[in-house]
Amino acid sequence: MSILPFAGRFDPARLFAFKGGVHPETRKFLTAECEIEEMPLPALIRVPLQQHIGVEAEPLVERGDEVLKGQLIGKARGPVSANIHAPTSGRVIAVGHFTAPHPSGLPVPTVTIRPDGRDEWGPRLPRLRPENATPQDIAAQVAEAGIVGMGGATFPSAVKLNLRTKYDLHTLVINAAECEPYLTCDDRLMRERAEEIADGAGIMAKALGVKEIIVAIEANKPQAIEAMSRHKRVLDFAMKIKTVPTQYPMGSEKHLVKTLTGQETPARALTAELGVVVHNAATAHAVHLAVRYGEPSISRVVTVSGRGVARPANVRALIGTPVADLLAHCGGLVEDPERLLLGGPMMGQPIQNMRVPIVKGTNGVLALTPGESRDQDTMPCIRCGLCVQVCPMGLTPFELNTRIEAGDLEGAARVGLLDCINCGCCSFTCPSNRPLVQTIQYARGKLAEQESRKHQQEQAKRLADARTARLEAIAEAKRAAMAKRKAEMAAKKKREAEAQANAGTTQSGETVK
């Protein structure tokens, strides 16, 4: 599909509305005024080798190895993957499987490190001067640093920076909406590290070859807007700060681009097809550290909040720090939480085990009490249509739910199953407390499983057909070789017979003479 890029510059005075969305109670006041704290070294660090969209990293260490801070311990595999680095110095005590920070609770390949307390750096990545570096150099440095989308999507950032080779790009959007309730880690990062975020944005803009940078911040973050507004120009790029409405899911990149440009990104297409690339504010900060100082992605700011936490806070913690350690640093739990989440309450992942580690995409740890959670009693759908009204993708969640419950996954796919962004607006607004988004997530997983099984079957059939063809070719070659040998033997015998006959004739002639 050919998509016309956005013509001209953004109109600084105009924003565009998108369909649907909700306005949940933000509850950001719990941590909005909490400055970022440095988390002490935990007793154990568990670093999953799958912290990103794509193929898991290949382990480069073994049990018993001594590692230094920033050392590469997992090598990216394939075009969509990300490097993994040691968050601190210490000894590798296990390379195996450990519970994933995911509601499935399934184990994933993990490197477990016991810190030695010295927090000793190994050789860092070579520093770059972005003023002189090429776009290829910057993208390669970001890839080496293992940076992924830190807003939660965890897509390898270097892959997005290389989109300049495929699309005609003109604008970089820094997504600083942070629309999820409770979360304030990006807000605090902008207030305290605005210059570094702006520098990272400029570095990414150079890598992308764009002409303009837009920083989009929700209106409920006035201090962050003021801090970022002090930086009008970074490197050779003009940077504009756009205040967008406080509306969920404003942080969805397609809806953010629609708000800024008025253009809709077609289903299953990239915003790059409109000439726009979106990166998170925390990702821009990580790029600044990687390019200017050679620091790989080994820590991040996490909001620890909810009424179940004794002292809600924003904490910079090492990747691999157990959730239990984060909660303990914040005074522990004041009561057993109704829900324990990684991420925000709308799209966050529920966990049952507090030993699971935070990863590069973990922007929040929430302990929600019964008073903060909705009644979980589920009732039949009353066909009120509220889920349709709030769906930002224009889907009919109740119809999707009906088809999924009937086992008609292909029918659900025909009416938009794969277009769902899992924002949770439908479940949030449903008066019957139907687990609509969870059902859709389940169905997408089952559909992916079926597609994977179908692909495996097709691959097995292709391999079997190829083997059959190969065996037939070998047999045909053997038959041809055998026929050739028979022909050669027959020809040889014929020559020998003719030679004997000629010899007999010659002898007869000599005798007669």
Side-chain angles (χ1 to χ4, degrees), residues 454-470:
K454 181 180 177 181
H455 174 74
Q456 291 175 356
Q457 292 172 347
E458 291 175 349
Q459 180 70 3
K461 185 177 184 300
R462 284 194 296 270
L463 292 173
D465 291 344
R467 181 176 183 275
T468 300
R470 187 169 64 253

Side-chain angles (χ1 to χ4, degrees), residues 170-448:
H170 53 74
T171 301
L172 166 65
V173 171
I174 298 300
N175 185 350
E178 198 170 44
C179 60
E180 277 266 17
Y182 290 94
L183 303 186
T184 59
C185 51
D186 287 354
D187 182 11
R188 290 307 314 185
L189 198 59
M190 286 186 287
R191 295 199 212 182
E192 300 177 33
R193 298 287 188 269
E195 184 176 2
E196 296 173 2
I197 293 172
D199 182 63
I203 293 170
M204 289 193 290
K206 182 167 185 179
L208 289 166
V210 299
K211 299 178 181 179
E212 191 171 33
I213 304 172
I214 304 294
V215 181
I217 309 174
E218 278 195 341
N220 60 358
K221 303 173 183 62
Q223 295 93 336
I225 293 169
E226 180 183 359
M228 293 301 299
S229 296
R230 300 190 190 108
H231 306 282
K232 303 293 186 182
R233 194 165 189 85
V234 289
L235 296 181
D236 293 327
F237 303 94
M239 190 170 79
K240 297 178 181 177
I241 310 302
K242 297 290 287 286
T243 302
V244 296
T246 302
Q247 179 182 4
Y248 183 86
M250 186 61 71
S252 163
E253 68 173 29
K254 292 184 177 181
H255 296 89
L256 187 58
V257 170
K258 170 66 186 303
T259 300
L260 295 171
T261 70
Q263 286 197 306
E264 291 189 5
T265 307
R268 277 158 270 167
L270 300 175
T271 60
E273 297 189 32
L274 304 178
V276 182
V277 172
V278 182
H279 280 281
N280 175 261
T283 306
H285 186 253
V287 169
H288 160 80
L289 295 177
V291 173
R292 295 284 187 183
Y293 301 101
E295 293 187 14
S297 180
I298 57 174
S299 67
R300 67 155 301 137
V301 180
V302 180
T303 297
V304 184
S305 189
R307 295 294 190 185
V309 180
R311 186 180 63 85
N314 289 297
V315 180
R316 178 173 290 280
L318 297 178
I319 302 301
T321 299
V323 168
D325 288 45
L326 282 165
L327 292 171
H329 175 75
C330 294
L333 298 173
V334 296
E335 61 178 289
D336 290 335
E338 178 78 14
R339 299 173 68 200
L340 188 61
L341 301 173
L342 291 184
M346 300 296 288
M347 296 184 70
Q349 302 287 356
I351 57 171
Q352 305 298 326
N353 185 352
M354 289 193 292
R355 297 171 61 208
V356 301
I358 65 164
V359 292
K360 296 177 183 180
T362 306
N363 49 14
V365 174
L366 303 185
L368 305 183
T369 61
E372 297 173 289
S373 302
R374 297 182 64 196
D375 185 2
Q376 298 300 309
D377 290 339
T378 300
M379 296 176 287
C381 176
I382 60 174
R383 292 295 193 274
C384 64
L386 287 177
C387 59
V388 180
Q389 294 177 28
V390 301
C391 178
M393 298 302 293
L395 306 178
T396 53
F398 73 86
E399 183 179 358
L400 283 170
N401 189 73
T402 299
R403 293 184 182 235
I404 292 167
E405 290 181 341
D408 184 13
L409 297 185
E410 293 184 358
R414 286 195 297 271
V415 295
L417 174 63
L418 299 179
D419 296 323
C420 174
I421 60 172
N422 298 325
C423 66
C425 287
C426 53
S427 295
F428 174 81
T429 196
C430 179
S432 297
N433 291 324
R434 305 284 294 172
L436 299 172
V437 69
Q438 291 85 352
T439 302
I440 292 171
Q441 289 173 337
Y442 162 80
R444 292 179 67 165
K446 291 294 291 183
L447 194 61

